[in-house]
Amino acid sequence: MGQYVTGSVIRALREKRNYTQKQLAEAISVSDKTVSKWETDRGLPDVTLLEPLAKALQVSVAELLSGEYVVNRNRSGNPERARFYICPICGNVIWSMGEGAFSCCGVALPPLEPEEPDGEHALTVEVLDNEWYVSADHPMTKDHYFSFIALVSYDRVQLCKLYPEQAAEARFPRRGGGTLYACCNRHGLYRLKLKR
């Protein structure tokens, strides 16, 4: 990541948790003077203290470093609030039942915002042998392709990873309805509701 934790972030997170400098210092085995130095920008925590500091402040290391932390209001998880995060460097796909803070290859990942499929990204859905057969007339070249097609239902997520030069298609067991997601490496994420 291109940044390091700042004193103002440490102070804001400490105050949010209603900790004194002394309480935070005791939680990570440093002195309260050390915490004071960090918060007044007269020093920075050693890299070995980032994980214990994040844990004490109840945030992820990525959130501590970025200064942007996510409050999870969705404590029970809900597939209807599905979020996909994709690493622009390695292509890693992360799925979450709500918003979260994720990073990969040193990059903080924003959630992809799904759109309704347009003409170029239209999905065709058929029922074959009690399966959803999903296909698209979409380029599958090394520069422009669908990287995955996924089906999110009320109790599971199924993801089919796609690669350039193969067909843009996937099959999923038919267990009621759900929401299809398809991700174009150039244009982003598309969503289509399935009916039972």
Side-chain angles (χ1 to χ4, degrees):
M1 297 194 181
Q3 53 198 37
Y4 200 71
V5 65
T6 64
S8 59
V9 168
I10 295 170
R11 183 176 52 252
L13 290 170
R14 176 182 60 78
E15 290 172 350
K16 182 176 170 72
R17 300 285 174 233
N18 293 318
Y19 293 155
T20 64
Q21 287 181 343
K22 185 173 184 172
Q23 289 170 320
L24 178 58
E26 288 172 356
I28 58 174
S29 302
V30 298
S31 71
D32 56 339
K33 289 180 182 178
T34 299
V35 173
S36 176
K37 284 182 182 179
W38 297 341
E39 291 185 359
T40 56
D41 292 323
R42 292 181 288 132
L44 293 170
D46 184 77
V47 70
T48 60
L49 291 173
L50 291 182
E51 192 171 332
L53 181 60
K55 186 176 179 182
L57 295 171
Q58 300 173 20
V59 295
S60 69
V61 173
E63 290 170 306
L64 180 65
L65 291 172
S66 70
E68 297 174 13
Y69 42 93
V70 175
V71 177
N72 185 0
R73 292 175 181 85
N74 181 20
R75 295 286 180 200
S76 62
N78 182 344
E80 291 294 317
R81 295 187 180 113
R83 297 280 195 198
F84 286 92
Y85 301 79
I86 299 180
C87 179
I89 297 170
C90 71
N92 189 17
V93 178
I94 299 171
W95 176 78
S96 174
M97 285 201 299
E99 196 164 332
F102 301 98
S103 63
C104 186
C105 296
V107 177
L109 305 178
L112 296 180
E113 292 297 329
E115 300 177 22
E116 297 302 314
D118 56 21
E120 186 181 2
H121 300 94
L123 300 172
T124 302
V125 181
E126 302 173 61
V127 177
L128 297 174
D129 300 324
N130 205 30
E131 291 183 317
W132 296 111
Y133 172 69
V134 183
S135 62
D137 185 21
H138 187 276
M140 291 297 285
T141 65
K142 291 185 183 201
D143 296 327
H144 189 196
Y145 59 93
F146 271 149
S147 62
F148 70 83
I149 298 174
L151 173 63
V152 177
S153 59
Y154 74 96
D155 67 344
R156 68 192 66 211
V157 61
Q158 301 168 79
L159 186 137
C160 181
K161 179 75 174 125
L162 302 176
Y163 298 93
E165 300 176 2
Q166 78 175 78
E169 61 186 18
R171 286 177 171 250
F172 302 103
R174 190 170 174 230
R175 295 184 171 109
T179 304
L180 280 173
Y181 293 88
C183 186
C184 173
N185 73 319
R186 283 191 182 176
H187 302 106
L189 190 64
Y190 295 89
R191 172 177 55 200
L192 177 68
K193 285 273 197 190
L194 290 179
K195 296 182 178 149
R196 293 180 180 257

